[in-house]
Amino acid sequence: MANIVFNNTRQPAANPVFSRAGVGAPVAIELLPFTVRPVRTEADLRKAVAVRHAAYARHLPDFARSLEQPEAADYDGDTVILLAESKADGSALGSTRIQTNFRQPLHLETSVDLPLWLATQRLAEVTRLGIVEGRIGRQVKLALIKACFEHCEQSGVDTAVVSGRAPVDRQYEQLLFTDVFASRDPVTLRHVGNLPHRIMYFDIASGQERWEAARHPLLDFFCNTRHPDIDLGRQAPAAWKHGLPRGQQASGAVVVGLAA
């Protein structure tokens, strides 16, 4: 992930803008060869499902057969699906799904009991991340991960929790995620083909500070660069406007799972 080079246009912003780097700090503007946006139509959803299925089929062909059609969770009122599309021809390059726990438990919670400090928070589970093969796919993966972080920030979420199977879990380590359970033992997840996954977390508020301390190679991409082609809108999920889910406390978490 650290060696990815983007083939796009990068330039300083004409005027200082607000960014994670600090109020008034100048940021770079970087144009991508694709866009990332929420799914809005049935046609959008079909494109997201197609690229999702193809990504899983490369690594988990048996499980991928269950992903040929949209899942019930894709239509949930608390679900947001992100779609990456090529600017050149509009083809789908990647997608991921974000589900909140306002009306129902997360899928992850059917397989594992989260520790109290996490289970009492507002949660969102990000699943079904799938991308096309090749260099452009690696670029799309980073953009979708950044979009998940941005969605987390916009929604007032504080802690990201990820489920990663080997060797994908190493990518989370590179992003400075930490194991939720000290044993680091994998957990079998029912909604991902009963495959073992590590459960890891990331504190959003301290993320930039930790990336800076580690001189992380993706610091500028995540924190100091504005990507106009990543457009999530500014509206939090409608269900979250009415208070915390299931009487939980003020802080929150996002659960992320990489598929490809």
Side-chain angles (χ1 to χ4, degrees):
M1 295 176 64
N3 295 325
I4 294 177
V5 177
F6 288 90
N7 182 19
N8 52 33
T9 303
R10 183 182 175 91
Q11 60 187 23
N15 298 299
V17 298
F18 289 85
S19 74
R20 296 181 185 87
V23 176
V27 300
I29 296 176
E30 195 164 40
L31 301 181
L32 302 170
F34 53 85
T35 61
V36 175
R37 62 175 179 84
V39 160
R40 298 185 180 91
T41 67
E42 184 70 18
D44 289 344
L45 176 59
R46 292 289 173 174
K47 292 175 71 172
V49 168
V51 72
R52 172 199 300 171
H53 171 259
Y56 274 85
R58 293 196 299 271
H59 306 288
L60 305 171
D62 292 338
F63 177 63
R65 295 189 184 97
S66 67
L67 303 179
E68 293 180 350
Q69 300 297 323
E71 299 175 276
D74 292 327
Y75 297 100
D76 194 345
D78 291 338
T79 290
V80 174
I81 300 173
L82 301 180
L83 175 64
E85 297 172 295
S86 168
K87 288 182 178 178
D89 59 12
S91 61
L93 301 177
S95 70
T96 193
R97 183 175 71 206
I98 306 171
Q99 175 227 346
T100 71
N101 68 337
F102 183 76
R103 294 187 176 93
Q104 60 186 350
L106 301 178
H107 292 153
L108 182 74
E109 295 179 272
T110 65
S111 303
V112 60
D113 292 327
L114 298 176
L116 185 62
W117 66 267
L118 183 58
T120 54
Q121 297 179 9
R122 180 169 58 189
L123 307 174
E125 183 177 5
V126 181
T127 58
R128 304 298 191 252
L129 174 58
I131 57 172
V132 297
E133 293 185 282
R135 181 180 180 185
I136 189 65
R138 293 192 293 271
Q139 296 177 6
V140 169
K141 177 183 286 187
L142 286 186
L144 285 170
I145 292 173
K146 176 172 180 173
C148 289
F149 279 126
E150 290 188 352
H151 179 85
C152 183
E153 290 181 326
Q154 292 179 17
S155 303
V157 172
D158 297 324
T159 303
V161 181
V162 302
S163 58
R165 58 179 174 79
V168 175
D169 56 334
R170 295 181 181 178
Q171 298 179 20
Y172 293 124
E173 290 181 345
Q174 293 172 0
L175 289 172
L176 307 186
F177 280 78
T178 304
D179 285 272
V180 169
F181 303 106
S183 66
R184 302 181 59 178
D185 291 338
V187 176
T188 299
L189 299 181
R190 298 175 187 172
H191 65 300
V192 194
N194 290 316
L195 295 173
H197 287 64
R198 283 171 66 189
I199 312 300
M200 308 171 77
Y201 76 93
F202 185 99
D203 179 73
I204 298 297
S206 65
Q208 179 171 345
E209 180 181 356
R210 289 183 288 115
W211 282 331
E212 289 174 344
R215 297 184 178 180
H216 200 283
L218 294 175
L219 172 66
D220 282 344
F221 178 81
F222 283 136
C223 300
N224 301 326
T225 306
R226 185 166 68 86
H227 293 98
D229 297 308
I230 300 177
D231 185 6
L232 306 181
R234 293 295 176 181
Q235 186 173 0
W240 288 14
K241 294 180 180 179
H242 305 292
L244 300 179
R246 300 192 318 225
Q248 295 170 357
Q249 299 178 2
S251 53
V254 165
V255 182
V256 185
L258 293 183

